[in-house]
């Protein structure tokens, strides 16, 4: 369990059947829960219908909840709208798909060390637009991305100018659902300049915006960012302010923005804390994401948080809003993200190549889905 993240949910492998969801959940003692949605202290697993028992040694002990309000249907779907999948493994994609994640959004990101040339930026953006989309699809997950110059690297003025000149070329490509991550890191004048230029780019190409709020001096940086968005006349209903904490959520929601919460171990936001935020503020315009990257992070943070919310009595409709509906609502404004993309997906065929490359290695058996039969295929004999 993470000190602040409060993870009390374990995900276990599902059955081989596509779309199968299998979760095991731990109670306060770390043992597998088993319970029914009929008794006052029990409810059903939001993923597979297995039985879960409310913890009695944590904050939930004082809650008076109706478990029937917190039950999600088997096969619940989730969107992770902030996941740096270029840093993750194929095992992560498989685990996410088994847990019910149907779509991910990959924002442009700092790689952990500075990029030193425009070419490295071009290659990075080409990868998250191309091969990463292909790789996700090979495991049954729809992949989208956001295009931007991130605030940390905005401080390299010479590189920033070249990247900003190049961004319009990538911003109009298929699968781009927003301009992001934008915002502040150290809140320098150069970061402010790049933020403002990219807000104008988002307006020009008619895309939503994903905002990165700074790790340091978060409250001031978040207010300053929203002030700048207001100065540029950007519609709050088309903007996600991400990496919120308890100190920023009220003002973000009051100003009409979507409030993103990154469930990131020991920093940003934990799933227990977010559960209480949803209980306090309701689900309107709140979005859950993992922000999983090359650091210590959890690509299963969204379904785990959904399971915990169900355990703590959050209504199923509210859970769906904060783990699926709200992300689709705002990023769907791009016109590039539609629910039919995963409700009626292309069949998986891991024999497919991307520029001559496969996700498999020698001797690995490809996953090949059989074509679905339609009514016109049926014959009466």
């Amino acid at each position: 369990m993470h000190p602040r993240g409060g993870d009390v949910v374990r995900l276990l492998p599902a059955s081989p059947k596509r779309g199968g969801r299998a979760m095991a959940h731990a109670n306060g003692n770390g043992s597998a829960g088993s319970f029914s949605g009929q008794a006052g202290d029990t409810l059903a697993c939001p993923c597979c219908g297995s039985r879960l028992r409310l913890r009695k040694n944590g904050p939930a002990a004082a809650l008076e909840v109706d478990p029937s309000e917190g039950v999600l249907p088997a096969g619940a779907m989730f969107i992770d709208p902030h996941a740096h999948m270029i840093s993750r493994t194929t095992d992560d994609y498989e685990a996410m798909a088994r847990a019910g994640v149907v779509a991910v959004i990959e924002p442009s990101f700092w790689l952990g060390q500075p990029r030193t040339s425009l070419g490295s930026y071009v290659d990075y953006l080409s990868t998250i637009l191309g091969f990463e989309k292909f790789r996700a699809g090979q495991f049954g997950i729809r992949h989208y991305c956001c295009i931007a110059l991130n605030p940390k690297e905005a401080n390299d003025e010479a590189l920033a100018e070249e990247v900003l000149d190049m961004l319009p070329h990538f911003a109009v490509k298929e699968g781009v659902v927003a301009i992001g991550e934008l915002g502040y890191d150290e809140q320098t004048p150069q970061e402010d300049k790049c933020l403002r230029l990219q807000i104008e780019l988002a307006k020009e190409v008619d895309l939503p915006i994903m905002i990165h709020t700074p790790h340091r001096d978060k409250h001031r940086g978040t207010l300053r960012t929203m002030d700048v968005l207001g100065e540029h006349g950007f519609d709050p209903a088309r903007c996600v302010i991400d990496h919120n904490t308890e100190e920023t959520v009220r003002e973000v929601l009051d100003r009409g923005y979507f409030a993103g919460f990154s469930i990131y171990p020991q920093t940003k936001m934990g799933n227990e804390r977010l559960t209480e935020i949803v209980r306090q503020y309701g689900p309107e315009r709140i979005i859950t994401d993992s922000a999983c990257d090359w650091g210590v992070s959890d690509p299963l943070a969204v379904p785990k948080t959904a399971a915990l919310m169900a355990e703590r009595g959050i209504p199923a409709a509210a859970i769906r809003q904060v783990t699926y509906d709200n992300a689709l609502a705002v990023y769907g404004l791009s016109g590039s993200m539609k629910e039919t993309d995963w409700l009626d997906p292309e069949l998986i065929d891991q024999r497919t190549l991307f520029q001559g490359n496969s996700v498999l290695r020698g001797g690995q058996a490809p996953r090949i889905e059989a074509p679905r039969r339609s009514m016109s295929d049926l014959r009466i004999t």
Side-chain angles (χ1 to χ4, degrees), residues 70-151:
V71 177
L72 295 179
M77 297 183 296
F78 308 104
I79 296 171
D80 190 339
H82 190 139
H84 301 288
M85 299 308 296
I86 193 173
S87 305
R88 310 305 303 193
T89 68
T90 54
D91 288 349
D92 293 325
Y93 274 128
E94 289 182 318
M96 292 168 80
R98 286 197 301 268
V101 176
V102 293
V104 298
I105 298 175
E106 179 145 5
S108 298
F109 184 53
W110 184 60
L111 291 179
Q113 66 181 38
R115 278 169 276 226
T116 58
S117 69
L118 177 64
S120 60
Y121 236 103
V122 168
D123 290 342
Y124 167 74
L125 296 178
S126 298
T127 298
I128 64 174
L129 276 162
F131 181 70
E132 204 55 46
K133 177 181 179 180
F134 165 78
R135 189 165 73 108
Q138 292 288 281
F139 298 95
I141 292 179
R142 189 73 181 206
H143 180 281
Y144 308 89
C145 66
C146 308
I147 294 299
L149 168 68
N150 71 79

Side-chain angles (χ1 to χ4, degrees), residues 72-299:
L72 295 179
M77 297 183 296
F78 308 104
I79 296 171
D80 190 339
H82 190 139
H84 301 288
M85 299 308 296
I86 193 173
S87 305
R88 310 305 303 193
T89 68
T90 54
D91 288 349
D92 293 325
Y93 274 128
E94 289 182 318
M96 292 168 80
R98 286 197 301 268
V101 176
V102 293
V104 298
I105 298 175
E106 179 145 5
S108 298
F109 184 53
W110 184 60
L111 291 179
Q113 66 181 38
R115 278 169 276 226
T116 58
S117 69
L118 177 64
S120 60
Y121 236 103
V122 168
D123 290 342
Y124 167 74
L125 296 178
S126 298
T127 298
I128 64 174
L129 276 162
F131 181 70
E132 204 55 46
K133 177 181 179 180
F134 165 78
R135 189 165 73 108
Q138 292 288 281
F139 298 95
I141 292 179
R142 189 73 181 206
H143 180 281
Y144 308 89
C145 66
C146 308
I147 294 299
L149 168 68
N150 71 79
K152 190 175 184 69
E153 289 181 305
N155 290 296
D156 182 339
E157 186 172 357
L159 176 62
E161 289 184 3
E162 292 184 303
V163 173
L164 290 170
D165 285 343
M166 171 270 297
L167 282 182
H169 169 75
F170 282 95
V172 296
K173 288 186 176 292
E174 180 183 358
V176 177
V177 297
I179 302 298
E181 301 177 52
L182 309 182
Y184 293 112
D185 181 47
E186 298 291 345
Q187 302 190 50
T188 65
Q190 177 65 15
E191 291 172 19
D192 186 75
K193 172 185 175 181
C194 293
L195 169 61
R196 292 174 182 275
L197 288 172
Q198 291 182 94
I199 292 172
E200 290 302 312
L201 172 61
K203 292 166 63 177
E204 180 182 338
V205 297
D206 195 27
L207 283 175
I209 283 176
M210 176 192 288
I211 291 293
H212 165 92
T213 51
H215 303 294
R216 295 165 294 279
D217 203 2
K218 181 178 289 287
H219 185 256
R220 183 174 72 90
T222 300
L223 296 182
R224 180 179 178 185
T225 304
M226 292 190 292
D227 288 343
V228 170
L229 287 160
E231 290 173 20
H232 286 260
F234 199 85
D235 183 358
R238 296 176 61 83
C239 184
V240 178
I241 308 291
D242 211 348
H243 308 323
N244 281 278
T245 65
E246 290 87 348
E247 67 175 333
T248 60
V249 56
R250 169 49 66 197
E251 287 157 305
V252 169
L253 292 175
D254 283 351
R255 294 203 195 188
Y257 292 91
F258 283 84
F261 292 86
S262 299
I263 310 302
Y264 203 93
Q266 304 181 37
T267 67
K268 296 186 175 78
M269 175 60 54
N271 52 24
E272 290 197 6
R273 292 161 60 199
L274 180 57
T275 298
E276 295 311 309
I277 286 173
V278 172
R279 192 187 309 281
Q280 179 179 353
Y281 293 97
E284 296 296 326
R285 288 181 283 112
I286 287 180
I287 292 175
T288 311
D289 64 69
S290 72
C292 62
D293 55 21
W294 39 257
V296 178
S297 49
D298 188 356

Side-chain angles (χ1 to χ4, degrees), residues 27-64:
N27 64 20
N29 298 318
S31 60
S34 63
F35 47 89
S36 163
Q38 302 304 312
D41 63 346
T42 64
L43 49 90
C45 166
C47 305
C48 60
S50 63
R51 299 157 66 88
L52 307 174
R53 186 170 301 278
L54 289 172
R55 289 174 24 158
K56 296 301 182 184
N57 61 340
L63 298 177
E64 295 294 332

Side-chain angles (χ1 to χ4, degrees), residues 8-42:
V8 296
V9 185
R10 292 179 292 114
L11 295 184
L12 298 179
S15 63
K17 178 181 177 183
R18 187 182 183 194
R21 317 296 182 212
M23 272 188 178
H25 309 266
N27 64 20
N29 298 318
S31 60
S34 63
F35 47 89
S36 163
Q38 302 304 312
D41 63 346
T42 64

